[in-house]
Structure formats: structure tokens, C-alpha cells
Amino acid sequence: MDKLLVQGGRCLRGTVRAHGSKNASLGVLAATLLVEGVSTIHNVPRTSDVVTLMEIMRSLGVVGDIDDDGTAVIDASRILAYTPTYHLVRRMRGSFHVAGPLLTRIGAVDIGIPGGCAIGSRPVDFHMRGFESLGADVKQRHGRMIARCKRLQGTRIYQDPRYCSVGATLNIMMAASLAEGTTVIENASRDPDVVETAEFLLKAGAQIEGVGGPTLEVHGVEKLAGNVEHSVCGDRIEAGTILIGGAVSNGDVTVTGINPSHLERFLEKLSEANVDVQIAPGQVRVTCGRRPTAVDIVTAPHPGFPTDLQPIFAVLASIAEGTSVFEEAIFDGRLQYVDELRRMNARIRRVGNSGNVAIIDGVEQLSGAPVRASDLRAGAALLLASLCADGESEITGVENVDRGYDQIEEKFLTLGADIRRIPVIEGPNALEASL
Ligand code: EPU
């Protein structure tokens, strides 16, 4: 485990390229389980969640790995098991993506049900109901979902429009791609990660209509073929994180390797906050020579404001002129960062029946402090706050940040930040190491 030591107050300047999208990679890699043959996936980030998914897939009999250039070569010709081990599955929610592919490809899956996590309760009932609607026999026993089927049968599935679940859309779309007949998913997720996975499946021979829209129509095929090559899109959340770094440090930062249309609401809000935003094909530049102004945000499924960037944007609101109101409408625990930001002199309070609204009164300057990353995006928010705070901050819980960012500090170092990663030694040598 590591911690980050950050000296705040550096102005960030320069250009960096975003890694491939972590969440799109999780979808595409899981989808390779459907392909009888070799898939080659480029631009895969080596975040710990992606590495965990690769371990899970290997435990199922898949042969494959990710090389140093971010290319994963995966041979899923033979799947030998349908019971991914719980010690890997419980590490991350994205592991449930393998359920749909296993069920439809080999007719069985027995997988631990992920529990709640730091950002909320996160059940998988939509996924399980979807599998049942497709004709599988689905049971929940001893904390596991056990599902079996002969061949899944196409059907009509109506998703809750408040959520348009990303994970359930992925699982149902993947399962339906080898089902008999047509499956219609209403209120499907329009998220770029779902689009990316669908595009990979189309290359492999799947028949999916309506990709990127609210209704997906999946016409099942008998088999998906091998030798598919695909490159994952840039990570819009990593890009958003770096762009906020530029804005809160009065800097001038360009992020390349992304599709700016994936960040439309986020970029609109940046402009509304008085940050200069320049959009060009494949890249976005922000410059900010003055104090940003307050904005209000309500998170929503894509193309709404992304929940993953809500904690990140809260850092900008913390130093903006005026009062911002942020409502988190997707996850019930995604304001965990509030208490840690308050330790850095931010003036934020949580209101609302479930505490899902944050009222943020901007202050002129945050103050460096020791803080702990409770989850991935909360950790990224604390890093951004540390970059613009005065003095030193020490961030622990960095393993949570590493789940979704491939060496996050590297890009900020390129832009002129002062960050050091220090291994935290535990066990009998801990005292000696700290002396
Ligand atoms: N929900 C249910 N039942 C279900 C599924 C979802 O009630 O069966 C609820 C959730 O509890 C939540 C809402 O529906 O309140 C939306 O959840 P969704 O299923 O869309 O999220 P997810 O698939 O679990 C993915 C990303 C998240 C991202 C969300 C929303 C992956 C591995 N995770 O989660 O990413 O926040 O979509 O965009 O793709 C992150 O990267 O930091 C992260 C948390």
C-alpha cells in the first residue's frame, strides 16, 4: 500500500494523453468471453480493477494478458469453469460483468453477489431479473447467484428510467447476443462504456441495433467469431479529473486521446463556472486565470452529468466564488468525500433526507492536511484538493485510487505538480520505517 505526499500550489501546465477507459475496458474484456477465438484489445489501462478482471477470466480457463503497451490478447476458445472465485469477485463490482457472458455461452454461472461498497448499496437485482426474463433459472443462495439455462430466449426488458443501469445493460446485452430471437432493452444505458462494448460485439458478429440510444435491440446469433481487434476509447473520467486539476490550479492543461462528446455536460458546467474550455477533435484544453464561479449540479445517467465526476467537480466548487448545490441522484453514498474535504478547510454541508445534497460555500484557499481516500473518485478529489491547497497533504487509501487510475500521479507530475508516492510499510518493520 502506498500514500501520496503532495505539495500544493503549483500551477499545472502542459499536455497529457488520457489512458484507455477503465470502465469501457471492463465491459469489452468481459465481452471477449463470448468470442470463440482470439480477441486483441488495445488501449487497455493497467488499473488494479482491470488486472483483477484479467485474473478472474484466467481462473475461468481463458488464456491472456495485457502487455506493457496496453494491448490485451485474449483467447476464450475454451471456458473451463463457471464459478469465479469469491476472493477475486468481491474486490470489485465490475466482476459481475462476467455473469451474462458465462450464462449465455456455457449455460451456467455461479458467482458471488457483490455487497455494498463505499459509494452505496449497489444491488444486482436488475441483472438477475434480466437473466430470468431471458429464460434462465436464477437462484440466490449463500450470497451467490446461481443461474442455469439451455439457450436463452429473446424477450422485452424494461429498465428503471431513473438509473438506466450501466452494468445491467451490459450483462443483458451480452447475454442476449447469443440468445435465440430478439431482445429489446428499454431505457438501456447510453453510456459510452456500453457503446464501446456493443461496438466490440458488432465486430465479433453480434447483431445489435440502437447502440447509443435508449432502446437496444439485440438479435441473437449462434456464435461469435475470433480474431477481433478493437481499441478502447480514452477515459473520460480520467480526462475530467486532469482538466479540473488545470482549472483549480489556475493552469493551462490539454488532455488528448478522448472523445470530447463523452464529456458534454461536464464541459458545459466548466464553462458555466467561468473556466475557459477549448474543444478540438480528440482533445480538450482548459485555462483558468481567475477564480471560478459557483455552479449547481445534479447527477444523471449518460448523457447527464456523470456521477463519477461529481466528487471531482466538488473541488472546483470548494474554491469557487459563491455557493454551489450538488445533488447526487445515482448512488446513495457518494458524498463520503465531504468530511475529508472539510478537514482541508472546505465549507461543505450535507443536507436532504438521505444526505445526498451538498451545499458548498466556496473559500479562497484550501489548506493541506492528512486525508484518507474512501473510494476511487473521492480519492481523486482529495488529490485535486491537495494540488490547489496551501502546504503539504498526505493521502492514504491510495489503493482505492489505483483501482481506476493507472499511476495517477505520473500525469500530474508531467504537468508540473509536486507529488511523491511513498510505500507504506506494514507489519514488524513499520516502526523502523517511520523513524
Ligand atoms: N442499481 C440497482 N440494481 C441493479 C443495478 C443498479 O438498484 O441491479 C442501481 C445502483 O444501485 C445505482 C444505479 O442503479 O443506484 C446505477 O447503477 P449502475 O448499474 O448504472 O452502475 P454500475 O454498473 O454498478 C457503473 C460504473 C460506475 C459508474 C456507474 C454509473 C463500472 C464497473 N462501474 O457502475 O463506475 O459510477 O456505472 O455511471 O462500469 C467508478 O468508475 O468510479 C464507478 C463507480
Side-chain angles (χ1 to χ4, degrees):
M1 278 195 284
D2 299 338
K3 64 183 178 185
L4 295 176
L5 285 185
V6 185
Q7 290 293 337
R10 304 283 192 279
C11 173
L12 303 187
R13 287 180 184 282
T15 300
V16 288
R17 187 178 172 80
H19 280 108
S21 162
K22 179 261 289 187
N23 285 343
S25 296
L26 293 175
V28 172
L29 291 174
T32 65
L33 285 172
L34 294 164
V35 177
E36 290 181 42
V38 178
S39 306
T40 305
I41 316 295
H42 303 287
N43 208 24
V44 177
R46 292 190 63 90
T47 68
S48 63
D49 275 9
V50 168
V51 170
T52 299
L53 182 63
M54 287 300 296
E55 268 185 74
I56 291 172
M57 302 214 336
R58 278 194 294 269
S59 78
L60 299 171
V62 166
V63 180
D65 212 343
I66 311 171
D67 70 16
D68 291 342
D69 296 330
T71 295
V73 180
I74 294 164
D75 184 353
S77 305
R78 294 196 321 150
I79 294 183
L80 305 171
Y82 59 88
T83 312
T85 51
Y86 186 57
H87 85 273
L88 292 175
V89 167
R90 71 171 187 194
R91 283 192 204 160
M92 60 156 191
R93 165 128 190 144
S95 54
F96 210 71
H97 289 355
V98 303
L102 285 177
L103 180 63
T104 199
R105 170 101 187 259
I106 58 173
V109 57
D110 177 348
I111 183 169
I113 294 175
C117 73
I119 61 170
S121 45
R122 305 185 81 183
V124 285
D125 51 332
F126 302 163
H127 305 238
M128 290 167 68
R129 278 209 299 273
F131 296 148
E132 239 163 18
S133 304
L134 285 162
D137 173 33
V138 182
K139 291 198 172 56
Q140 182 175 337
R141 274 204 209 112
H142 309 301
R144 306 185 67 82
M145 178 192 79
I146 301 150
R148 287 179 189 281
C149 64
K150 290 214 168 73
R151 189 171 178 201
L152 293 172
Q153 300 294 313
T155 186
R156 197 170 195 94
I157 291 171
Y158 180 84
Q159 289 219 97
D160 186 332
R162 281 173 305 168
Y163 300 130
C164 306
S165 164
V166 173
T169 303
L170 281 173
N171 251 330
I172 295 165
M173 175 177 75
M174 292 190 283
S177 64
L178 292 180
E180 190 173 342
T182 296
T183 301
V184 177
I185 311 171
E186 287 183 52
N187 299 317
S189 166
R190 300 164 68 181
D191 198 278
D193 305 330
V194 173
V195 171
E196 193 72 29
T197 307
E199 282 171 356
F200 166 78
L201 289 171
L202 287 166
K203 285 184 189 168
Q207 291 184 18
I208 307 171
E209 290 178 71
V211 174
T215 306
L216 283 179
E217 225 171 277
V218 187
H219 309 287
V221 296
E222 294 271 338
K223 181 176 168 163
L224 296 181
N227 294 323
V228 188
E229 198 155 345
H230 186 80
S231 188
V232 173
C233 62
D235 195 310
R236 67 191 189 285
I237 309 300
E238 185 196 41
T241 306
I242 297 165
L243 292 171
I244 291 282
V248 297
S249 68
N250 284 328
D252 180 350
V253 167
T254 302
V255 180
T256 63
I258 52 160
N259 181 343
S261 73
H262 292 169
L263 279 168
E264 219 168 303
R265 290 294 166 279
F266 169 81
L267 296 175
E268 277 168 20
K269 286 290 169 189
L270 264 184
S271 297
E272 197 183 318
N274 223 0
V275 175
D276 290 323
V277 177
Q278 290 169 41
I279 300 170
Q283 65 178 59
V284 177
R285 176 183 181 191
V286 297
T287 42
C288 191
R290 54 187 173 272
R291 194 170 168 201
T293 49
V295 289
D296 295 340
I297 280 173
V298 182
T299 61
H302 192 81
F305 189 94
T307 170
D308 294 346
L309 285 171
Q310 177 268 116
I312 312 281
F313 215 105
V315 178
L316 183 128
S318 297
I319 56 158
E321 199 167 344
T323 299
S324 305
V325 180
F326 280 27
E327 182 180 344
E328 171 55 52
I330 304 292
F331 290 112
D332 50 21
R334 216 161 199 183
L335 292 178
Q336 304 277 350
Y337 63 87
V338 164
D339 290 329
E340 293 300 280
L341 274 190
R342 281 160 66 121
R343 301 189 62 249
M344 300 181 74
N345 277 10
R347 287 185 57 204
I348 314 184
R349 64 209 144 87
R350 293 173 67 171
V351 296
N353 287 343
S354 51
N356 63 334
V357 176
I359 312 270
I360 309 174
D361 296 315
V363 296
E364 295 232 356
Q365 177 75 67
L366 295 175
S367 169
V371 283
R372 181 163 174 80
S374 56
D375 72 81
L376 164 55
R377 308 302 173 189
L382 294 172
L383 174 57
L384 292 169
S386 308
L387 288 170
C388 66
D390 65 3
E392 183 175 89
S393 298
E394 179 185 295
I395 305 171
T396 49
V398 176
E399 62 282 3
N400 288 319
V401 182
D402 292 338
R403 290 184 54 184
Y405 295 88
D406 189 347
Q407 295 281 319
I408 190 170
E409 71 277 19
E410 296 290 330
K411 294 207 167 109
F412 285 116
L413 285 170
T414 308
L415 297 171
D418 182 346
I419 309 176
R420 275 182 301 148
R421 183 181 280 257
I422 315 254
V424 178
I425 300 168
E426 291 188 331
N429 294 329
L431 182 59
E432 198 183 330
S434 66
L435 288 175

